[in-house]
Amino acid sequence: MVKKRDAALGFIFITLLIDVTGFGIIIPVMPKLISELIGGSLSDASRYGGWLMFAYSVTQFLFAPILGNLSDRYGRRPVLLASLFGFGIDYLFLAVAPTIGWLFVGRIIAGITGASFTTAQAYIADVSTPEKRAQNFGLVGAAFGVGFIIGPVIGGLLGQYGARIPFYAAAVLALLNWLYGYFILPESLKPENRRIFEWKRASPTGSLMQLNKYPLVAGLMGSFVCVYLAAHSVQSTWTYYTMLKFRWDEKMVGYSLGAVGLLVGIVQGGLIRVINPKLGPKRSVYFGLVLYVIGLLLFAFASQGWMMFVFLIPYCLGGIAGPSLQSIISNQVPANEQGELQGGLTSLISITSIIGPLLMTNLFAYFTASRAPFYFPGAPFLMGAIFCLLSLLLALKSLSVLGRHSTTQSTVKP
């Protein structure tokens, strides 16, 4: 049984690794492609980048609960395969886009089918024991980390031969990943743990309302949302910020994101397996959120390009918070509702992805425009630090209840 479980985790890790590598390939060149299509500056391109993320996130918000509930009914494998195929089509749209409108079409397709991480997390919950869930959820972060070592570096190098070349490479990788999953990836959800599909529970609001059955889960949603809003200060503006402030090119951006990937892989693929058992999930959440605040503040006020590499250390160490928070939430929900839970969480993430990119890219555009009251490209990072501080306060309030209830003591070390 243990060998089967380890093999399943290996399969899902490789699937996610290839998925993230493809996504990472396009990041260094996206600002350049947008600038070419709109004939504008990096500051202008950042606004369009925010709206592209908005289009992706709105469709994902609407469709993630449907896919999550479908995975509870029909299994994780078919939903994951559909997601991987959708990403391949998205990248092809981006590669051949003659106008900015085509980029929006591609992002909408990806949003409709984009359930790879949602389904992967439900898959991990299926094959994990409660005490191992935080460590195994770290595999998602590890795949993200390793994929971000490989993807952005490849994207930065390929981007020197044209802004569209990395998108073709990403499309090929996504479709190869779909073939790998089709022939190799096993199903994780046992027939006895499946349930009937209900449209009421598959709507974004219905999926979130179902989570209210679990008081602790509902209480931690605010903390969860704030963390993901903060993350968009980095995800949505890193490329624009470093290119504008430090005059980095695509290759340098690729190297920096490779460094992010290396550190995330070390933290979530290795350190979390040591830190989490010693600190326990609760303290891991607190410690990680404090490190996020420190890292984001340092990014905001960095004065030299090399500092960004150094300041990545506390920021990436903050990554111990996410899997621990998700483990606490997952342990409150039965096996036949894990897909619904992950669909609901993805809907929340999608809400933050609707708000976050627009907020952060517009903050960046406003404080780097000629009409700004003062020049401050680090404004999004400062906002991210505020969100992480708020997340910490909400987590302290919610998790203080956990220690007082004997029914939940088995999921968290005292």
Side-chain angles (χ1 to χ4, degrees), residues 28-277:
V29 292
M30 184 62 92
K32 185 176 180 181
L33 179 61
I34 295 172
S35 296
E36 285 181 4
L37 291 175
I38 66 171
S41 66
L42 276 174
S43 185
D44 297 327
S46 69
R47 292 184 188 274
Y48 279 91
W51 282 109
L52 283 166
M53 193 64 185
F54 174 86
Y56 171 81
S57 301
V58 167
T59 49
Q60 190 176 64
F61 172 70
L62 296 173
F63 285 90
I66 296 174
L67 295 175
N69 277 267
L70 285 172
S71 80
D72 279 342
R73 174 66 182 90
Y74 298 105
R76 317 303 183 199
R77 186 175 181 274
V79 175
L80 188 57
L81 291 177
S83 173
L84 297 175
F85 187 78
F87 271 119
I89 301 302
D90 167 42
Y91 295 141
L92 285 175
F93 262 87
L94 301 183
V96 301
T99 65
I100 193 72
W102 279 55
L103 297 190
F104 282 94
V105 173
R107 292 282 77 192
I108 289 169
I109 292 171
I112 292 171
T113 61
S116 56
F117 275 77
T118 304
T119 314
Q121 286 163 343
Y123 192 111
I124 290 169
D126 292 339
V127 300
S128 301
T129 57
E131 62 272 12
K132 289 284 186 181
R133 274 189 182 150
Q135 297 176 39
N136 291 341
F137 277 134
L139 284 175
V140 178
F144 180 90
V146 177
F148 254 59
I149 296 170
I150 303 167
V153 173
I154 294 173
L157 293 171
L158 291 177
Q160 298 177 86
Y161 302 101
R164 297 174 187 269
I165 300 300
F167 294 92
Y168 285 110
V172 170
L173 206 55
L175 294 174
L176 286 175
N177 197 15
W178 172 71
L179 286 173
Y180 167 82
Y182 184 83
F183 289 107
I184 302 295
L185 191 69
E187 180 55 63
S188 65
L189 187 63
K190 297 176 182 178
E192 61 268 26
N193 287 333
R194 301 185 187 190
R195 61 177 179 82
I196 296 171
F197 179 86
E198 299 175 63
W199 278 106
K200 184 174 74 172
R201 297 176 70 169
S203 70
T205 53
S207 180
L208 293 174
M209 289 299 291
Q210 285 295 316
L211 300 181
N212 283 329
K213 295 186 298 184
Y214 311 100
L216 181 63
V217 173
L220 287 172
M221 289 305 172
S223 179
F224 193 82
V225 165
C226 286
V227 169
Y228 277 89
L229 281 172
H232 281 289
S233 64
V234 177
Q235 294 172 14
S236 301
T237 65
W238 179 273
T239 305
Y240 301 101
Y241 177 78
T242 54
M243 282 183 165
L244 184 66
K245 187 168 185 178
F246 305 120
R247 299 292 185 265
W248 287 3
D249 59 14
E250 293 90 347
K251 187 194 294 186
M252 193 62 186
V253 170
Y255 289 150
S256 71
L257 293 174
V260 172
L262 177 62
L263 289 169
V264 170
I266 290 171
V267 171
Q268 302 213 8
L271 285 181
I272 195 170
R273 295 177 178 270
V274 177
I275 295 171
N276 186 271

Side-chain angles (χ1 to χ4, degrees), residues 258-325:
V260 172
L262 177 62
L263 289 169
V264 170
I266 290 171
V267 171
Q268 302 213 8
L271 285 181
I272 195 170
R273 295 177 178 270
V274 177
I275 295 171
N276 186 271
K278 290 186 176 180
L279 293 180
K282 279 172 60 176
R283 291 190 184 92
S284 294
V285 170
Y286 303 152
F287 186 57
L289 290 173
V290 169
L291 286 170
Y292 271 148
V293 172
I294 293 170
L296 288 166
L297 287 174
L298 291 172
F299 288 156
F301 296 100
S303 58
Q304 300 290 329
W306 62 265
M307 292 180 179
M308 299 299 284
F309 286 89
V310 177
F311 298 159
L312 280 172
I313 296 172
Y315 177 76
C316 291
L317 280 171
I320 65 170
S324 301
L325 185 59

